[in-house]
Amino acid sequence: MIRCTEGHFYDPAKHHACPWCPKPVEMAMPVIPGGKTTPLRAEVASAPAPAVAIPVGGKTVPLMRGGGKVEPVVGWLVCIEGPDRGQDFRLHAAKNFIGRSPAMDIGVAGDESVSRDKHAVVTFEPKRGSFWLAPGESSGLVYCNGNVVHAAIELKAGDVIEVGKSKLIIVPFVTEQFRWDS
């Protein structure tokens, strides 16, 4: 047994480096139409609340929000039409921004007709357990069930959100049957 610089003991016959210390983890981005799969590296910290991020286009994009704390899922958006068809996106409490950028909460990367940043926003309001859709800060339009959204509207299970050429269906997880705070 040997001791690493952080004070952890490990067997060098079994591990080439300390298994308890932060180390890089190989990851791969999904294949984007017209693009290629690019391996990325993420630093996985072994602290109680790890901060996990990946480098994307010169910026570091968090994989976990809230300083490394895993935020409970409250629902999903599932792409049912468009370049990212079949992809699902986790929704968390508060605001979930939709855009093409990987820095967005819902990154519809394959749809060039979606604004890069803040095309629309889906908000989960935890006190009432309700989902809301509002237009974002971009010039792109957002539709719900075929109708243009000019101001925030409440969403129901199965509503279809349209941004660019993509259609996303909302699938709530937090309902009257289940709430994280109960």
Side-chain angles (χ1 to χ4, degrees):
M1 297 292 276
I2 63 171
R3 190 175 189 170
C4 76
T5 57
E6 297 296 319
H8 306 120
F9 289 96
Y10 70 97
D11 185 353
K14 293 182 181 177
H15 306 282
H16 70 281
C18 178
W20 309 110
C21 288
K23 56 189 166 284
V25 176
E26 287 296 324
M27 297 172 46
M29 288 292 289
V31 176
I32 298 172
K36 62 180 182 177
T37 301
T38 307
L40 301 171
R41 297 179 70 75
E43 290 299 316
V44 180
S46 60
V52 180
I54 58 173
V56 176
K59 295 193 314 190
T60 300
V61 179
L63 293 177
M64 286 189 244
R65 295 165 44 173
K69 215 171 70 175
V70 174
E71 292 189 45
V73 65
V74 297
W76 297 268
L77 290 181
V78 179
C79 186
I80 58 170
E81 190 175 308
D84 294 317
R85 185 173 177 258
Q87 175 73 39
D88 64 303
F89 305 94
R90 291 174 64 135
L91 296 172
H92 302 280
K95 294 181 178 181
N96 297 269
F97 291 101
I98 301 172
R100 199 174 68 248
S101 166
M104 293 291 97
D105 301 299
I106 293 94
V108 188
D111 190 343
E112 290 291 323
S113 59
V114 172
S115 298
R116 185 165 181 73
D117 295 310
K118 300 180 181 176
H119 189 114
V121 61
V122 174
T123 302
F124 175 74
E125 196 279 296
K127 287 185 180 181
R128 288 188 46 219
S130 58
F131 292 87
W132 295 80
L133 173 66
E137 298 172 9
S138 75
S139 61
L141 294 176
V142 60
Y143 296 85
C144 182
N145 299 326
N147 299 310
V148 70
V149 176
H150 295 289
I153 61 166
E154 191 166 4
L155 293 169
K156 299 178 296 308
D159 281 346
V160 176
I161 299 166
E162 190 175 340
V163 290
K165 295 178 180 145
S166 297
K167 290 185 179 180
L168 308 158
I169 191 167
I170 186 160
V171 181
F173 177 64
V174 173
T175 61
E176 289 182 16
Q177 289 76 35
F178 177 82
R179 291 179 65 110
W180 286 110
D181 56 0
S182 47

